[in-house]
């Protein structure tokens, strides 16, 4: 009987510790989201995030070892549903042109909705790229480009379309997906008053101008087949 009681007490302590840890993590993420939105990447300090969350700086670093990891965990849930839907489209064999149009429209809409956080994430990704001097490594859990794999959905859809013959084989999926995401992130900063529909139209025109130019040619010299996509 004593052993059973001790086991129950141990389980209760474990659950309480997990609940406390989850609450602390949530408080840090909420505090970080507010800080990155208000101050941007450079002016946000982990120390200030911790203070606003009511915990020590050491506790903050126990949850998120670097500021790069922190912004990655803040931003990932915002775009997660969009990436998940693209994966569903790919798994179900949806026509790749339709899937790419919807994906880029939805991704642009989310990035514009959270424009300040998008700008902070973009700065963090660029800073980390400079620090490591190259592309992301899959095992680097501090890299915001790994924590928020923005290129993954476009890469997967383009690869599928190229293998199926629905998209031109060049540029390769790795190159064109990186190009489109870089353009999206930079434009979200440089064009603060541009509607997301216009940004999506530009991205789709660049993407299909390279991989399916027939879509543009069919519209004639003045054709804009992706206007108002969002």
């Amino acid at each position: 009987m004593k052993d059973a009681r001790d086991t129950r007490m141990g389980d209760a302590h474990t659950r309480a510790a997990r609940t406390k840890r989850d609450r602390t993590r949530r408080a840090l993420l909420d505090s970080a989201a507010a800080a990155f939105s208000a101050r941007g990447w450079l002016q946000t300090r982990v120390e200030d995030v911790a203070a606003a969350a009511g915990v020590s700086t050491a506790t903050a670093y126990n949850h998120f070892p670097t500021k790069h990891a922190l912004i990655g965990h803040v931003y990932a849930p915002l775009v997660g549903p969009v990436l998940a839907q693209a994966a569903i489209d790919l798994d179900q064999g949806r026509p790749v042109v339709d899937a790419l149009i919807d994906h880029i429209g939805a991704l642009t809409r989310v990035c514009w909705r959270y424009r300040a956080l998008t700008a902070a994430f973009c700065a963090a990704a660029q800073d980390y790229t400079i620090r490591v001097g190259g592309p992301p490594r899959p095992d680097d859990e501090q890299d915001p480009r790994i924590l928020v794999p923005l290129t993954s959905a476009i890469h997967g859809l383009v690869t599928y379309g190229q293998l199926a013959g629905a998209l031109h084989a060049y540029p390769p999926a790795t190159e064109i997906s990186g190009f489109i995401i870089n353009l999206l992130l930079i434009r979200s900063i440089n064009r603060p008053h541009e509607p997301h529909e216009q940004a999506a139209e530009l991205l789709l025109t660049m993407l299909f101008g390279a991989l399916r130019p027939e879509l543009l040619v069919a519209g004639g010299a003045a054709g804009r087949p992706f206007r108002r996509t969002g």
Side-chain angles (χ1 to χ4, degrees):
M1 182 67 68
K2 182 178 179 180
D3 289 343
R5 183 170 62 251
D6 289 345
T7 297
R8 288 196 299 272
M9 291 179 63
D11 291 343
H13 286 308
T14 298
R15 288 194 298 272
R18 185 183 304 114
T19 298
K20 181 180 179 181
R21 180 175 177 82
D22 290 345
R23 287 176 178 170
T24 298
R25 182 181 178 88
R26 184 69 262 161
L28 285 166
L29 290 172
D30 290 344
S31 174
F36 284 125
S37 295
R39 303 176 207 160
W41 168 251
L42 288 178
Q43 299 303 319
T44 296
R45 304 190 312 159
V46 175
E47 293 84 350
D48 297 331
V49 170
V55 301
S56 68
T57 300
T59 296
Y61 279 116
N62 283 337
H63 285 266
F64 306 102
T66 66
K67 190 167 79 164
H68 295 90
L70 181 58
I71 184 62
H73 284 284
V74 167
Y75 200 67
L78 304 180
V79 297
V82 178
L83 301 180
Q85 182 58 55
I88 292 172
D89 289 346
L90 182 61
D91 184 62
Q92 294 180 347
R94 189 180 178 206
V96 69
V97 171
D98 293 341
L100 281 166
I101 289 173
D102 284 352
H103 174 67
I104 290 178
L107 186 60
T108 305
R109 184 167 54 249
V110 170
C111 289
W112 260 238
R113 179 181 179 185
Y114 301 101
R115 192 186 293 263
L117 284 175
T118 300
F121 173 79
C122 178
Q126 289 182 330
D127 181 66
Y128 205 87
T129 301
I130 294 169
R131 287 170 182 259
V132 301
R137 300 192 312 271
D139 61 341
D140 187 351
E141 297 180 355
Q142 309 310 317
D143 192 334
R145 298 170 297 173
I146 293 296
L147 295 170
V148 190
L150 287 177
T151 63
S152 62
I154 298 176
H155 184 280
L157 290 168
V158 169
T159 297
Y160 170 76
Q162 289 177 326
L163 291 174
L167 301 175
H168 289 205
Y170 187 86
T174 298
E175 299 295 338
I176 195 67
S177 61
F179 175 83
I180 293 297
I181 291 301
N182 287 337
L183 180 58
L184 181 151
L185 292 175
I186 294 299
R187 201 166 186 87
S188 72
I189 300 171
N190 292 344
R191 301 295 180 94
H193 303 298
E194 178 182 48
H196 67 82
E197 294 91 347
Q198 291 184 18
E201 179 189 2
L202 175 66
L203 295 171
L204 289 166
T205 300
M206 299 293 287
L207 177 68
F208 289 115
L211 297 177
R212 189 77 177 268
E214 303 91 324
L215 294 176
L216 278 66
V217 172
R224 294 173 60 178
F226 307 113
R227 182 180 291 182
R228 296 189 182 90
T229 296

